[in-house]
Amino acid sequence: MNYQSTNGLSKTEMERKVTYTKALLSGKSSIKKESLFIFSDNLAPQAKNWFNRQSQTGGELRNCITCSTSDSSGIIKSRSDFPYTPIHSTQDIQNSIQLYYNNAEWGNFKRQIKYWCTKACTYQYKNSSEFEHIKEVITKIWQNFRLEKQVLSEEEEFEMELLEEDFPFLID
């Protein structure tokens, strides 16, 4: 908006901006019910005072927040500012597989890998971050398994290859 003073602020115009923006975003779930107006650092205190006075008369301005450009970085965050916390921890996934790997119980090892691959696939379209997380953990375990050239029976090797066909991300 690039206002130079609060003299140019109009309650009607500010409410129109709020209403128009909400209409543009209709159908989308809002992150916050308040509308945010950002002003230059030197104008922000005056604008805050103006909005407080105007909000006393009711209307859309009751749900508005004002801040300075320098304060906006503490309010507006990008997705990368919030690191993903997995539903299934790396340690839990590894622990559920490691015992079978250490004891060369290849049937159980394959079943656990398949379980986690299937679990990852259930998240593929509804929580891509969880899908990527599980896939990364499983792929690492699988690559180590293949690199160590475990001694497998012909049947076990065939089953492992079938698993790789079913879940190609294991070998990508």
Side-chain angles (χ1 to χ4, degrees), residues 5-98:
S5 76
T6 55
N7 293 340
L9 297 178
S10 154
K11 180 177 182 194
T12 306
E13 184 62 21
M14 293 295 123
E15 287 183 332
R16 187 191 65 70
K17 289 179 187 289
V18 170
T19 306
Y20 179 73
T21 302
K22 286 181 178 179
L24 279 176
L25 299 173
S26 68
K28 308 284 188 213
S29 59
S30 62
I31 296 168
K32 223 174 159 145
K33 80 174 190 169
E34 295 93 2
S35 298
L36 178 65
F37 287 89
I38 303 172
F39 294 91
S40 65
D41 288 345
N42 60 342
L43 186 59
Q46 296 165 20
K48 186 173 192 150
N49 188 349
W50 184 88
F51 269 84
N52 284 340
R53 284 194 322 270
Q54 297 301 316
S55 69
Q56 301 299 316
T57 61
E60 287 290 333
L61 296 186
R62 287 178 295 146
N63 296 316
C64 292
I65 298 171
T66 59
C67 71
S68 67
T69 52
S70 58
D71 291 338
S72 67
S73 65
I75 297 171
I76 301 170
K77 302 282 185 186
S78 70
R79 186 178 191 136
S80 63
D81 291 326
F82 302 95
Y84 180 70
T85 303
I87 297 169
H88 303 283
S89 75
T90 300
Q91 196 62 48
D92 287 346
I93 297 168
Q94 289 171 336
N95 288 346
S96 74
I97 298 168
Q98 202 62 46

Side-chain angles (χ1 to χ4, degrees), residues 88-101 108-113 115-116 137-138 141:
H88 303 283
S89 75
T90 300
Q91 196 62 48
D92 287 346
I93 297 168
Q94 289 171 336
N95 288 346
S96 74
I97 298 168
Q98 202 62 46
L99 177 66
Y100 303 123
Y101 183 82
N108 289 330
F109 172 77
K110 182 192 78 96
R111 273 189 283 286
Q112 273 307 108
I113 293 289
Y115 168 81
W116 284 110
V137 174
I138 295 301
I141 293 169

Side-chain angles (χ1 to χ4, degrees), residues 139-172:
T139 301
K140 220 175 270 183
I141 293 169
W142 190 259
Q143 287 171 349
N144 288 337
F145 165 71
R146 285 308 206 182
L147 284 173
E148 291 181 7
K149 305 277 188 208
Q150 300 295 337
V151 177
L152 303 172
S153 71
E154 229 178 87
E155 183 181 336
E156 289 169 331
E157 181 59 41
F158 179 71
E159 288 178 2
M160 299 304 179
E161 288 172 4
L162 285 176
L163 196 59
E164 291 170 342
E165 283 182 25
D166 291 343
F167 303 102
F169 60 78
L170 287 172
I171 54 176
D172 286 342

